[in-house]
Amino acid sequence: MKRLTMVHHSIGGKTKEMASLLTDILSNEDQLIEFRSFSAFEAKASDILQSDGIIFGTPVNFGYMSGALKDFFDRNYYELEGKVEAVPYAIFVSASTDGTGAVESVRQICKGLNLKEVQEPLVLTKKLSESDQSRLRDFGMTMAVGIDAGIF
Ligand SMILES: Cc1cc2nc3c(=O)[nH]c(=O)nc-3n(C[C@H](O)[C@H](O)[C@H](O)COP(=O)(O)O)c2cc1C
């Protein structure tokens, strides 16, 4: 069974809410894939090396990814470098107004690792609405189905 790993961080709880919803969706999709979730401060390179796909989730803080997610990349970059080429990934972001800085900062590091971004980032700027929940479902299921089918 293929494995999808999520690495995420939240300060005020909004990104955590998104991550929790993704966990509910991806843990209940009849075992298409194995789904695992780690907080950014806890995630290790070995968690990523054993993955067939990755989801990164972060708030935007001062126009950048959260310090915790940056810490994850700082701690693990060299262990991952050269070993995760073309692994599919996607980003979700919680922002007040503009998530661009968080998206671009994650992308820059993932480009260095040669990870492969396989869908548009999901950036939410308001309280989770029903349509946001539906977008999150599509976001998560795209990863699960794509990884399972090997289409990325
Ligand atoms: C220290 C700090 C810096 C922030 N910087 C930005 C920013 O540059 N742009 C923005 O749109 N929102 C910014 N925000 C707002 C958060 O991104 C937003 O409230 C987000 O939903 C928080 O997610 P969380 O509850 O998971 O921490 C900032 C919040 C904090 C605490």
Side-chain angles (χ1 to χ4, degrees):
M1 189 180 282
K2 303 265 179 74
R3 184 179 279 166
L4 174 58
T5 301
M6 177 166 68
V7 179
H8 61 94
H9 181 69
S10 176
I11 296 164
K14 282 199 194 160
T15 319
K16 188 175 179 186
E17 200 183 347
M18 294 169 78
S20 297
L21 197 62
L22 281 170
T23 299
D24 288 348
I25 292 160
L26 293 168
S27 303
N28 288 316
E29 39 74 42
D30 292 332
Q31 301 296 316
L32 202 59
I33 45 102
E34 180 187 344
F35 177 72
R36 304 177 313 158
S37 173
F38 298 92
S39 86
F41 276 137
E42 288 170 4
K44 303 180 299 295
S46 57
D47 301 321
I48 298 300
L49 292 172
Q50 296 159 8
S51 302
D52 301 292
I54 312 161
I55 295 174
F56 296 110
T58 179
V60 57
N61 291 148
F62 305 124
Y64 201 80
M65 74 181 89
S66 74
L69 190 58
K70 177 63 162 41
D71 170 78
F72 162 78
F73 284 120
D74 289 351
R75 282 186 291 109
N76 296 299
Y77 190 87
Y78 285 130
E79 273 189 76
L80 295 175
E81 194 177 26
K83 296 181 189 146
V84 289
E85 287 174 6
V87 173
Y89 82 95
I91 305 166
F92 68 91
V93 170
S94 178
S96 284
T97 53
D98 182 5
T100 311
V103 167
E104 290 308 321
S105 59
V106 173
R107 274 183 173 156
Q108 193 178 10
I109 293 172
C110 291
K111 192 174 172 193
L113 291 171
N114 280 322
L115 292 170
K116 181 180 176 190
E117 188 172 23
V118 291
Q119 65 171 315
E120 281 301 303
L122 178 58
V123 179
L124 299 183
T125 54
K126 297 194 175 70
K127 201 163 171 269
L128 265 191
S129 65
E130 269 187 33
S131 78
D132 290 337
Q133 292 183 23
S134 160
R135 289 173 70 199
L136 261 173
R137 172 174 295 280
D138 290 349
F139 177 86
M141 287 308 293
T142 296
M143 292 305 283
V145 172
I147 287 164
D148 177 56
I151 58 173
F152 292 138

